[in-house]
């Protein structure tokens, strides 16, 4: 029964993989190359093949052809670990990265080199642990590690790279997650080691007014994201394998699993860790990717009372998988891990349509020279339309100094006990 319900994801199979370097099981070993984060270009109304961007543990940014998983090029410039990578939403040829070196860099994927056209910097001594770009591509926000007694959310104007301001009172420890709403440019969710998930309206005058609600995960926040048919829900994964989904409007808890591994025992599904979640719009369901230390992956679905193992993804990874990206436009799942492998999982029906066979899997050795980037349309000029002027006039209003803001939104504002949500029975 479950197999029939979840047919769109049970047809996912390995469509290609690439090894970009020697793998190691030793953390921070100079001999190993981890994939820290991945993202996929959104190319609406285009026949071009999207690129995959992968942030690597050697502080480089690598690009791949999504269909054949071939290396297209590499960019370097960060002096410390890259903590996130995002393609632009309006301009998919721009790619942003955050780093513990205290910078966010904006790269043009149609060029190669070590110089990013735009570099965003914040307060001295701050390291960026996470970031995101809003849906209009006009504001970037990054979270920091704890600096003395403060952890910051910093905001920049993307066009000018000017620091607009910062929030500092809502979290009391390292900020681990930053996630703008997919369609509401002023709506922002953040997560932290302090266990809190905060939701802001950054169009308000100050941090106190901007903080809409505070939710408590009761443990270090590992991942957060927007989900649901209208992205009205927030999911949260923690470092102790718990999963929560809240109604972000009502601030009410919809589901909570304190230990995902216990919930899966009846399915004989072994899970050593959780990678992340993604929302499947066709199924109207929140899906979770879990894995083993040996690289075996399982897709899980969140029911009301427990999780269900619905599909396994074997044969690609040999170590811990750190990150995923779900390409909802093409039903493609991209994963990256500590084994230095980037894998692409495709829907069988789509593969048949593209006439891609298993014989076309591409495995590229670590020492292979990357190919030159594919040719794309010429770079757009920075023309300024009336619409973009209106967006720039609507700047988020922040705290512009390190001085504390008095007052904050009351903790635990939600009413609790909500029903419904992005899951099946």
């Amino acid at each position: 029964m479950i197999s029939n319900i979840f047919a769109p994801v049970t047809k996912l199979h390995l469509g290609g993989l690439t090894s970009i370097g020697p793998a190691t099981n030793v953390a921070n070993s100079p001999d190993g190359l981890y994939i820290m984060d991945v993202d996929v270009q959104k190319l609406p109304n285009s026949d071009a093949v999207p690129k995959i961007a992968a942030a690597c543990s050697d502080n480089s940014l690598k690009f791949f052809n999504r269909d054949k998983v071939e290396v297209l090029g590499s960019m370097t410039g960060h002096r410390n670990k890259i903590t996130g990578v995002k393609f632009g939403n309006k301009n998919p040829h721009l790619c942003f990265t955050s780093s513990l070196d205290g910078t966010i860099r904006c790269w043009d994927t149609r060029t190669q080199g070590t110089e990013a056209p735009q570099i965003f910097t914040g307060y001295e001594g701050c390291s960026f642990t996470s970031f995101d770009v809003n849906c209009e591509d006009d504001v970037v926000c990054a979270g920091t590690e704890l600096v003395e007694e403060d952890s910051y959310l910093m905001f920049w104007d993307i066009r000018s790279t000017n620091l607009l301001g910062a929030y500092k009172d809502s979290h009391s420890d390292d900020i681990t997650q930053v996630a703008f709403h997919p369609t509401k440019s002023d709506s922002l969710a953040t997560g932290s080691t302090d266990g809190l998930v905060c939701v802001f309206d950054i169009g308000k005058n100050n941090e106190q007014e901007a903080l809409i609600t505070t939710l408590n995960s009761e443990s270090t926040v590992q991942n957060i994201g927007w989900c649901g048919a209208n992205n009205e829900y927030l999911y949260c994964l923690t470092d102790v394998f718990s999963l929560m989904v809240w109604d972000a409007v009502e601030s009410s808890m919809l589901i909570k699993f304190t230990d995902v591994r216990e919930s899966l025992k009846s399915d004989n599904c072994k899970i050593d860790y959780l990678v992340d979640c993604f929302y499947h719009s066709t199924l109207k369901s929140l899906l979770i990717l879990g894995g083993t230390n040996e690289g075996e992956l399982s897709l899980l679905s969140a029911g009301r009372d427990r999780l269900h193992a619905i599909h396994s993804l074997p044969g690609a990874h040999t170590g811990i998988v750190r990150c995923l990206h779900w390409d909802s436009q093409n039903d493609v799942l991209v994963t990256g891990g500590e084994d230095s492998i980037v894998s692409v999982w495709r829907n069988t029906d789509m593969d048949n349509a593209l006439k891609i066979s298993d014989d076309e899997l591409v495995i590229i050795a670590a020492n292979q020279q990357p190919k030159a980037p594919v040719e794309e349309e010429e770079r757009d000029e920075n023309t300024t339309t009336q619409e973009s002027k209106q967006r720039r006039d609507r700047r988020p209003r922040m705290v512009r100094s390190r001085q504390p803001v008095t007052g904050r939104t009351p903790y635990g504002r939600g009413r609790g006990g909500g029903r419904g949500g992005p899951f099946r029975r």
Side-chain angles (χ1 to χ4, degrees), residues 272-297:
D272 293 322
Y273 58 88
L274 301 176
V275 183
D276 204 348
C277 303
F278 63 91
Y279 182 75
H280 198 291
S281 57
T282 301
L283 296 174
K284 295 182 172 58
S285 180
L286 181 69
L287 302 181
I288 306 98
L289 184 66
T292 68
N293 295 329
E294 294 75 34
E296 296 296 311
L297 297 174

Side-chain angles (χ1 to χ4, degrees), residues 59 76-82 99-103 105 119:
N59 309 333
T76 57
H78 284 295
R79 300 184 304 277
N80 205 334
K81 185 178 83 171
I82 297 176
S99 171
L100 294 180
D101 66 10
T103 68
R105 296 175 186 247
I119 299 177

Side-chain angles (χ1 to χ4, degrees), residues 97-145:
T97 53
S98 62
S99 171
L100 294 180
D101 66 10
T103 68
I104 292 175
R105 296 175 186 247
C106 176
W107 312 86
D108 190 327
T109 62
R110 293 160 293 189
T111 64
Q112 288 194 73
T114 59
E115 295 298 327
Q118 290 178 297
I119 299 177
F120 305 82
T121 58
Y123 297 147
E124 185 177 356
C126 288
S127 298
F128 299 133
T129 52
S130 57
F131 89 109
D132 201 7
V133 178
N134 75 347
C135 61
E136 297 292 344
D137 281 356
D138 57 9
V139 174
V140 61
C141 173
T144 74
E145 292 180 335

Side-chain angles (χ1 to χ4, degrees), residues 381-392:
E381 296 181 359
N382 289 328
T383 55
T384 304
T385 63
Q386 184 64 31
E387 180 182 355
S388 65
K389 287 181 180 178
Q390 293 173 354
R391 288 201 303 267
R392 293 202 305 275

Side-chain angles (χ1 to χ4, degrees), residues 262-324:
E262 291 295 320
S263 181
L264 292 169
K265 281 187 175 180
S266 60
D267 288 345
N268 293 319
C269 178
K270 179 187 176 184
I271 293 293
D272 293 322
Y273 58 88
L274 301 176
V275 183
D276 204 348
C277 303
F278 63 91
Y279 182 75
H280 198 291
S281 57
T282 301
L283 296 174
K284 295 182 172 58
S285 180
L286 181 69
L287 302 181
I288 306 98
L289 184 66
T292 68
N293 295 329
E294 294 75 34
E296 296 296 311
L297 297 174
S298 297
L299 279 173
L300 320 171
S301 173
R304 288 188 179 278
D305 301 318
R306 72 179 188 92
L307 296 180
H308 302 275
I310 58 175
H311 188 48
S312 61
L313 299 172
H317 292 281
T318 59
I320 294 173
V321 173
R322 281 179 170 258
C323 52
L324 70 81

Side-chain angles (χ1 to χ4, degrees), residues 108 238 276 326 330:
D108 190 327
T238 74
D276 204 348
W326 172 246
N330 301 286

